[in-house]
Amino acid sequence: MNNSLKGLSDNEVIESRQRYGTNFIKEAEPLSFWQHFLEGFQDPMIKILCVISVIMLIMYYFGYSDWYEPVGTIIAVILVNFVTAKTGTDNDKAYKNLKDSQKKDTAKIIRNGKLNEIVVDDIVVGDIILLQNGDKILADGILVDGKISVDNSSLNGEAEECKKTAAPEGYELIKEITGDTFVDKHSLFRNSVVINGEGYMEVRAVGEKTMAGKMAEDMKEKEPDSPLQVKLSKLAHQISNFGYVGSIVIALAYLAHYIVLAGGISAYLNNDLGTILVGIVNAIAIAITIIVCAVPEGLPLVIALVLMQNTGKLYKANVLVRKAIGIETAGSLNILFSDKTGTITKGKLEVVKVLDGNGNNIELDKTGYVLKNLYKSIANNSASEFDANGNVIGGNMTDKALLNFINNNEYQKNKLNVINKQEFNSTNKFSQISYMENGQLITEYKGAPEVLLAHAKKYMTNDGKILPLNLDKLNAKIDVLANNAMRVLCFGYSKQPLKENIINDDTIITSLVAIRDDVRPEAKDAIKEVQNAGIQVVMITGDRKETAVAIAKDAGLYCEQNSDIALTSKELNNMSDNEIKQILPKLKVIARALPTDKSRMVKICQSVNLVVGMTGDGTNDAPALKAADVGFAMGSGTDVAKEASKLVILDDNFNSIKNAIWYGRTLYNNILKFCKMQLTINVAAVIVSAICPFIGIEAPLKVTHLLWINLCMDALASLMFAGEPALRKYMKAKPRKRDENIVSKEMATQIGVMGVWLTLISILWFKLPFVATFFNTENEFYTGFFCMFVFAFMVNAFNVRTKSLNVFEHIKENPAFIKIWSLIMIIQIVLVSIGGIVGEIFSCTSFNLSGWIMVTLFALTMYPVDMIRKLLFNK
């Protein structure tokens, strides 16, 4: 410990905390169950259900409807909001458990002249913190003693080390975020990590006044509506207009019908007031039925249940869902901005190539003089070492990469008694050691190629021969490696004594090593699959442009032949928003990026109606994660980034991002399947309810029938479709527009054809005389129709599963489908058979086996008719 640094006293700590506050960065409080519940009333479908409930309550008050009709709708609203609220609170709880499972960071603080360890929240302005290799910096401050190197990647995305030296007296901490903020030689910032050296920091800012805290402030803007919310709002508007306009037209038509039957307007008005009112009330009652038929009351519940079920599936795939709507949004992406370090790349330097002094690749699984000398040089000429547990500690990122390359066994095997040593420094650009080997003094060098090659004339081959260097050939090879984002180190030896700051002229080159933060192998495949899904992937990084482009090429993101574009932050900021919009489709890389660049790009993309995704792990990514339609935070990232995101990628793997997109697309397709099934029966119910009274068929479907189909049965049906498998073809479809209709032309055709057919067989049920002969009473006959309508609905569930003629396609991948389908059928049979209060509510009675046969035969016609439709209309 530096004895000249006494730190704060206990009283000074109290005074500092009172004056400058604590080091706690306040996070957004999760919504309570009740808040989630109330938020559900903002859903457009829920608003329509509330309007229907009010109308039904008024009708009940005046004695024109039964109590269970408005109660059923109110229960539906409560049930939907309950499931939505439970999903939201469960997701919040899962995230809280993830955070609670992580131990709070601690810092080594000098107080009262003694070194203590305290938790991050207890740090105050004025504290002196001892920083050593591997320590996370937990506040903003100034280095007052020592020399260290830090990794600022959690703040600026830059993986390179930044050297820090003690600040002169009176030096002020940087307070504004600019492109040069994090490379300042004396300032240190919260969430950076010490990667080399030792020093003491004086804390100058804590909590929300740190750079990390200020970045968190940028996340308070309102989040955009998700694509699904936009589409549902549009659908709700269309359905409500259809229902309201249709009900008014039908109600007026019925009034006209009553007037015609009465012999004209005058004759109708000459009736007693009771007769006139009965006609008006009947017309209104039919109008209410039309509205109930038109609105898919079960759709909000289905979406809530499907989202809830897929939350669990994604967790098993290493994706923690912070906000359930983020699942579907991931599947709707048009463009994805991806952080480089730790997402596309592995997030750490690794040895990727070893060459001899002639530029030839050395096979790493074969022994020879090159690897033998390289292992020896790395084991001894390094500031890093292996600890007792076999972990690499100390040194900079390059030294750690080299030690990880040779592993602990080779390290121990090649350790020598080093006589003299000079550490690497940025002026000399090399380090050197000397030792005795077989009675011969050897000096080993490790450093920048241009430095060693300036003094070397020979190299060692893999079989131990010493040959002249071909500098032109070797430099050309080094240029190729550098253009592929590889950092090249050169190794050599001399038989002369070590001379400080000097490389001996008899140096022989033994090897060159290429090091890189390499692209994750699985990320390449995942990026390709995401691009094949029509999603533009843009890498946004703090790296220099040349390095970023090289990594992007390796990852399959950038291709010069396609006229792809890479920009630096400076180039980007010299362009207007309109200019960026023009080149946006070709933009693949943004280098030297600032946090403001990321947020700006998200907003520009949203302004041209693109659904935008953003991945990141650092505090610097948080504003863009928040502003994006869906933010993917990395599990190893900062809490601020996770708070800002909708999805957390627990394994930091781009492949998991791809899976989230795939699940999102699957979820949307499964919602569409359900919509096809429900809207088909709703269309049929509207037409049947509108036409039948005109042709002498009185109220074939009760409001309770429609609520039963649209709510109770739909809740179970949603579980059937929630388990539908994720198919590879979903990742080959083009992305959907944010505001496109849920009901596409193809979907409308299926709904229209099958809805009209169901209407036709409904009319035939009542108009074909032989049908009634299978039932003993009129009540049985109407009950049979209700069952036929439901059975047809359930047969159509198979039709909407697939565009294939084989409706059992992939059924084994969703075993719950048959189980739940069978359960719904059993419930329907039991419902109409038990009588009592249930029979009264649903106007049902039991009937014989011959009636059930007729119900089944009518319902089964849904399959061949849809098969014909598929043959005629499917592409």
Side-chain angles (χ1 to χ4, degrees):
M1 189 181 86
N2 188 330
N3 293 325
S4 65
L5 299 172
K6 302 296 183 183
L8 301 178
S9 67
D10 291 340
N11 288 334
E12 286 172 330
V13 169
I14 295 171
E15 290 174 10
S16 178
R17 188 172 287 122
Q18 290 172 344
R19 183 176 179 183
Y20 299 107
T22 70
N23 198 34
F24 179 73
I25 296 179
K26 188 177 181 181
E27 299 169 352
E29 285 293 324
L31 296 180
S32 65
F33 179 89
W34 182 242
Q35 288 171 318
H36 277 295
F37 184 87
L38 294 177
E39 200 175 60
F41 286 97
Q42 300 303 313
D43 185 284
M45 288 289 184
I46 295 297
K47 290 178 180 178
I48 294 175
L49 289 181
C50 290
V51 171
I52 292 175
S53 300
V54 171
I55 294 172
M56 286 182 171
L57 283 171
I58 294 172
M59 295 286 288
Y60 170 68
Y61 180 78
F62 288 102
Y64 297 116
S65 77
D66 294 310
W67 62 268
Y68 39 78
E69 292 177 354
V71 168
T73 308
I74 292 169
I75 290 173
V77 171
I78 294 172
L79 188 60
V80 170
N81 285 3
F82 176 84
V83 172
T84 302
K86 187 177 187 307
T87 303
T89 51
D90 283 352
N91 292 340
D92 290 339
K93 184 179 179 182
Y95 175 63
K96 184 177 183 299
N97 290 339
L98 176 68
K99 286 192 65 180
D100 290 345
S101 66
Q102 298 169 339
K103 186 180 177 182
K104 277 201 172 186
D105 293 319
T106 58
K108 298 180 282 287
I109 303 282
I110 300 177
R111 285 184 182 171
N112 302 307
K114 296 180 180 179
L115 192 63
N116 303 281
E117 189 172 67
I118 64 171
V119 295
V120 55
D121 296 344
D122 291 340
I123 297 171
V124 298
V125 171
D127 266 330
I128 302 296
I129 301 179
L130 169 60
L131 297 174
Q132 295 174 306
N133 187 53
D135 286 348
K136 185 177 180 182
I137 298 172
L138 302 176
D140 289 1
I142 299 294
L143 191 68
V144 294
D145 186 68
K147 292 181 181 179
I148 61 174
S149 295
V150 299
D151 174 7
N152 287 320
S153 58
S154 70
L155 291 163
N156 68 351
E158 180 62 69
E160 296 175 2
E161 59 185 283
C162 182
K163 297 183 182 300
K164 304 288 183 177
T165 58
E169 191 173 345
Y171 190 82
E172 291 293 328
L173 176 70
I174 290 177
K175 295 181 179 178
E176 297 297 328
I177 301 174
T178 69
D180 299 320
T181 293
F182 303 110
V183 295
D184 175 84
K185 295 297 182 184
H186 313 299
S187 299
L188 300 166
F189 302 98
R190 182 168 180 159
N191 291 330
S192 296
V193 177
V194 179
I195 55 175
N196 196 21
E198 181 175 305
Y200 293 85
M201 178 184 86
E202 181 184 327
V203 175
R204 296 286 181 86
V206 293
E208 294 176 357
K209 294 180 181 177
T210 61
M211 287 295 182
K214 290 175 182 177
M215 289 177 175
E217 283 291 309
D218 292 338
M219 298 189 298
K220 291 185 177 178
E221 295 182 15
K222 184 183 181 294
E223 294 179 22
D225 286 340
S226 74
L228 183 58
Q229 289 169 328
V230 172
K231 292 179 177 71
L232 287 175
S233 180
K234 194 171 183 179
L235 179 63
H237 181 70
Q238 293 168 338
I239 289 174
S240 59
N241 285 344
F242 171 71
Y244 297 149
V245 172
S247 63
I248 291 171
V249 170
I250 296 297
L252 292 174
Y254 271 96
L255 281 175
H257 179 61
Y258 295 143
I259 289 170
V260 169
L261 291 177
I265 296 177
S266 298
Y268 182 70
L269 295 176
N270 285 333
N271 287 323
D272 61 90
L273 184 60
T275 302
I276 295 173
L277 288 176
V278 166
I280 294 172
V281 168
N282 285 338
I284 292 173
I286 292 169
I288 295 296
T289 303
I290 297 297
I291 294 173
V292 174
C293 290
V295 177
E297 289 89 352
L299 187 56
L301 178 60
V302 167
I303 292 170
L305 289 170
V306 170
L307 287 173
M308 182 173 69
Q309 196 170 38
N310 279 272
T311 295
K313 286 183 180 180
L314 274 173
Y315 188 78
K316 293 177 182 177
N318 292 311
V319 180
L320 173 65
V321 179
R322 291 274 291 114
K323 297 186 179 178
I325 201 70
I327 307 173
E328 188 281 328
T329 310
S332 301
L333 289 181
N334 302 117
I335 187 167
L336 172 64
F337 289 96
S338 175
D339 183 40
K340 174 185 74 72
T341 305
T343 308
I344 293 175
T345 66
K346 296 175 181 177
K348 63 178 182 179
L349 292 175
E350 291 183 330
V351 173
V352 291
K353 281 182 182 291
V354 176
L355 302 89
D356 67 13
N358 200 38
N360 302 311
N361 288 337
I362 299 298
E363 295 183 42
L364 302 181
D365 58 345
K366 295 183 179 179
T367 57
Y369 278 85
V370 170
L371 287 180
K372 180 180 177 181
N373 279 276
L374 178 61
Y375 290 162
K376 183 169 58 180
S377 183
I378 291 174
N380 297 281
N381 191 2
S382 176
S384 298
E385 59 183 282
F386 285 95
D387 65 11
N389 297 318
N391 299 313
V392 178
I393 60 172
N396 58 29
M397 290 189 288
T398 302
D399 281 340
K400 287 180 177 178
L402 291 170
L403 240 62
N404 278 316
F405 168 67
I406 70 169
N407 71 54
N408 199 2
N409 289 335
E410 291 293 344
Y411 174 77
Q412 301 298 340
K413 192 190 303 182
N414 286 280
K415 280 299 279 182
L416 299 170
N417 183 27
V418 174
I419 300 170
N420 201 358
K421 184 173 187 177
Q422 182 182 6
E423 295 281 2
F424 177 89
N425 65 68
S426 57
T427 303
N428 293 333
K429 294 186 178 179
F430 72 91
S431 62
Q432 56 180 330
I433 60 169
S434 63
Y435 55 87
M436 296 297 296
E437 185 177 54
N438 300 324
Q440 171 70 53
L441 179 68
I442 302 293
T443 300
E444 289 266 8
Y445 301 102
K446 175 187 72 178
E450 64 271 19
V451 175
L452 268 68
L453 292 177
H455 299 275
K457 295 180 177 59
K458 297 180 179 181
Y459 78 97
M460 175 186 287
T461 66
N462 204 27
D463 56 6
K465 295 177 182 178
I466 307 299
L467 300 176
L469 273 172
N470 183 336
L471 286 177
D472 290 338
K473 179 181 178 181
L474 189 56
N475 282 325
K477 183 69 175 181
I478 291 170
D479 288 340
V480 170
L481 296 174
N483 289 333
N484 283 281
M486 297 184 196
R487 185 181 303 172
V488 182
L489 286 174
C490 191
F491 293 82
Y493 73 91
S494 164
K495 293 185 178 180
Q496 296 181 38
L498 182 151
K499 300 171 186 173
E500 190 172 357
N501 301 326
I502 293 174
I503 296 174
N504 294 324
D505 288 334
D506 67 335
T507 296
I508 296 172
I509 302 301
T510 56
S511 62
L512 291 95
V513 172
I515 300 175
R516 185 171 68 173
D517 180 10
D518 212 4
V519 174
R520 290 175 179 264
E522 67 274 20
K524 291 183 183 181
D525 296 333
I527 287 169
K528 184 178 180 180
E529 198 165 346
V530 169
Q531 289 175 322
N532 288 340
I535 300 170
Q536 180 181 349
V537 182
V538 180
M539 189 176 80
I540 190 161
T541 174
D543 275 340
R544 63 191 182 95
K545 188 174 182 179
E546 294 78 9
T547 302
V549 168
I551 291 290
K553 285 180 180 177
D554 197 20
L557 285 173
Y558 183 92
C559 179
E560 291 172 346
Q561 287 75 17
N562 294 337
S563 301
D564 288 341
I565 295 172
L567 297 174
T568 64
S569 174
K570 185 177 180 180
E571 291 168 337
L572 193 73
N573 284 299
N574 286 334
M575 300 173 70
S576 67
D577 287 0
N578 286 331
E579 287 173 329
I580 292 172
K581 290 174 186 177
Q582 293 299 315
I583 59 99
L584 185 60
K586 289 292 183 180
L587 184 62
K588 296 299 171 67
V589 177
I590 300 174
R592 291 298 190 200
L594 297 173
T596 50
D597 297 328
K598 299 178 181 182
S599 296
R600 182 189 179 200
M601 289 307 303
V602 168
K603 291 174 183 176
I604 287 173
C605 292
Q606 288 172 336
S607 72
V608 292
N609 212 29
L610 296 177
V611 181
V612 187
M614 170 71 188
T615 73
D617 57 2
T619 304
N620 67 309
D621 296 326
L625 287 169
K626 181 79 170 181
D629 294 287
V630 58
F632 301 89
M634 298 300 111
S636 63
T638 62
D639 289 342
V640 178
K642 292 172 189 172
E643 286 286 336
S645 68
K646 287 187 174 74
L647 303 174
V648 179
I649 307 302
L650 298 175
D651 60 354
D652 291 13
N653 197 326
F654 197 96
N655 191 56
S656 295
I657 297 172
K658 181 266 295 182
N659 286 337
I661 294 170
W662 188 18
Y663 270 91
R665 290 189 168 200
T666 300
L667 182 147
Y668 185 75
N669 275 280
N670 292 346
I671 289 174
L672 289 185
K673 291 175 184 179
F674 176 84
C675 285
K676 290 176 189 177
M677 185 175 82
Q678 191 181 47
L679 292 178
T680 295
I681 203 163
N682 282 33
V683 166
V686 167
I687 300 174
V688 167
S689 297
I691 292 177
C692 282
F694 282 106
I695 57 177
I697 304 169
E698 294 300 327
L701 290 169
K702 309 295 182 184
V703 172
T704 48
H705 293 164
L706 299 172
L707 290 175
W708 169 254
I709 294 170
N710 280 348
L711 289 173
C712 301
M713 289 180 59
D714 286 352
L716 288 171
S718 68
L719 299 177
M720 293 193 308
F721 291 109
E724 285 289 279
L727 304 178
R728 286 290 173 189
K729 66 180 180 181
Y730 296 153
M731 288 298 285
K732 295 178 181 177
K734 291 181 180 179
R736 300 178 298 276
K737 293 180 180 178
R738 179 191 298 274
D739 57 352
E740 76 174 30
N741 290 325
I742 284 182
V743 182
S744 65
K745 183 178 179 181
E746 181 183 347
M747 184 173 166
T749 301
Q750 182 171 8
I751 292 169
V753 169
M754 299 312 296
V756 168
W757 176 251
L758 182 52
T759 300
L760 180 60
I761 61 174
S762 296
I763 293 172
L764 290 175
W765 179 275
F766 289 101
K767 292 302 181 180
L768 293 175
F770 76 89
V771 176
T773 62
F774 288 86
F775 301 91
N776 296 322
T777 65
E778 184 179 9
N779 199 11
E780 284 186 16
F781 180 59
Y782 269 81
T783 301
F785 171 72
F786 173 41
C787 290
M788 185 278 291
F789 208 76
V790 170
F791 277 28
F793 173 69
M794 296 308 296
V795 170
N796 201 41
F798 282 94
N799 291 332
V800 301
R801 283 191 66 250
T802 175
K803 294 180 181 180
S804 169
L805 296 180
N806 177 15
V807 294
F808 297 102
E809 186 179 48
H810 299 292
I811 197 73
K812 290 182 180 179
E813 297 170 55
N814 183 16
F817 188 94
I818 296 295
K819 294 176 184 177
I820 297 172
W821 188 92
S822 302
L823 177 63
I824 294 172
M825 297 292 278
I826 291 169
I827 290 173
Q828 178 64 25
I829 293 169
V830 171
L831 176 75
V832 300
S833 302
I834 57 178
I837 184 66
V838 175
E840 181 184 342
I841 291 174
F842 289 96
S843 303
C844 291
T845 188
S846 60
F847 51 88
N848 56 33
L849 179 61
S850 60
W852 284 111
I853 293 173
M854 184 56 57
V855 164
T856 304
L857 290 174
F858 264 72
L860 285 174
T861 62
M862 295 289 285
Y863 172 62
V865 170
D866 194 58
M867 184 185 292
I868 295 169
R869 180 201 63 79
K870 288 175 179 176
L871 290 170
L872 292 176
F873 295 104
N874 278 5
K875 295 179 182 178

